[in-house]
Amino acid sequence: TAAVAQSVAVSKPAAVCFSLACGHAAEAPATTCPRCGKPMRSARQVAVLGAVSLVVGLLLAVGIAVIAWRLAPGMLNPGVPDADGSRFAGTAAQGRQALVVFGSVAAVGVFSALGGGWQLATGRRHRALLVLMLLALAVLALNVWWAFQLFPS
């Protein structure tokens, strides 16, 4: 495993184009992409962005999972008191939809963390993971919209 880590560290580019269409990786520092002309990110910038994505993704995924685990029994059984005596006042359908929204947030967090970890390890973005995170964001938006339909104000 040390050889794999060393080969990954050696193969990290000095600069990466952050254009989704291009994604060119340069072995020498550059400020402008030679392929598309858009700005390049330095290896340090790529690492910082990867670390931020990893940390935010983990916080989202783990945080929302803990919240969902704590609230799920009450939301799936409305009107039944929890251990602390509180009750979910909505319907079972509303409780399920809220948990679906929580799951969507967790999915965004997981894909963000995976993409950030990949970026830290390789020095490049993983397009498929980025697309999956964007799709998870779209699903989250759809689920939030649907939740607002179920929870009239």
Side-chain angles (χ1 to χ4, degrees):
T1 59
V4 171
Q6 185 179 8
S7 69
V8 168
V10 171
S11 66
K12 285 184 181 179
V16 176
C17 178
F18 256 50
S19 166
L20 284 178
C22 179
H24 176 70
E27 297 307 317
T31 56
T32 305
C33 179
R35 281 193 193 165
C36 69
K38 295 200 176 169
M40 300 280 279
R41 303 272 192 236
S42 70
R44 179 175 167 79
Q45 289 171 322
V46 170
V48 167
L49 292 172
V52 168
S53 183
L54 176 66
V55 169
V56 169
L58 286 174
L59 288 173
L60 270 177
V62 172
I64 205 70
V66 169
I67 291 168
W69 183 264
R70 172 72 176 96
L71 296 178
M75 294 180 115
L76 295 174
N77 302 296
V80 177
D82 284 343
D84 63 359
S86 64
R87 299 172 197 253
F88 177 62
T91 66
Q94 290 171 332
R96 284 190 301 273
Q97 185 60 34
L99 292 173
V100 167
V101 169
F102 291 168
S104 299
V105 171
V108 170
V110 166
F111 290 127
S112 175
L114 289 173
W118 176 269
Q119 198 166 310
L120 275 172
T122 66
R124 296 172 172 87
R125 284 194 304 189
H126 194 291
R127 285 185 187 156
L129 288 173
L130 183 60
V131 167
L132 286 172
M133 187 183 72
L134 293 173
L135 286 172
L137 277 169
V139 168
L140 173 61
L142 182 65
N143 282 321
V144 167
W145 174 82
W146 184 246
F148 277 111
Q149 304 309 307
L150 288 176
F151 291 90
S153 41

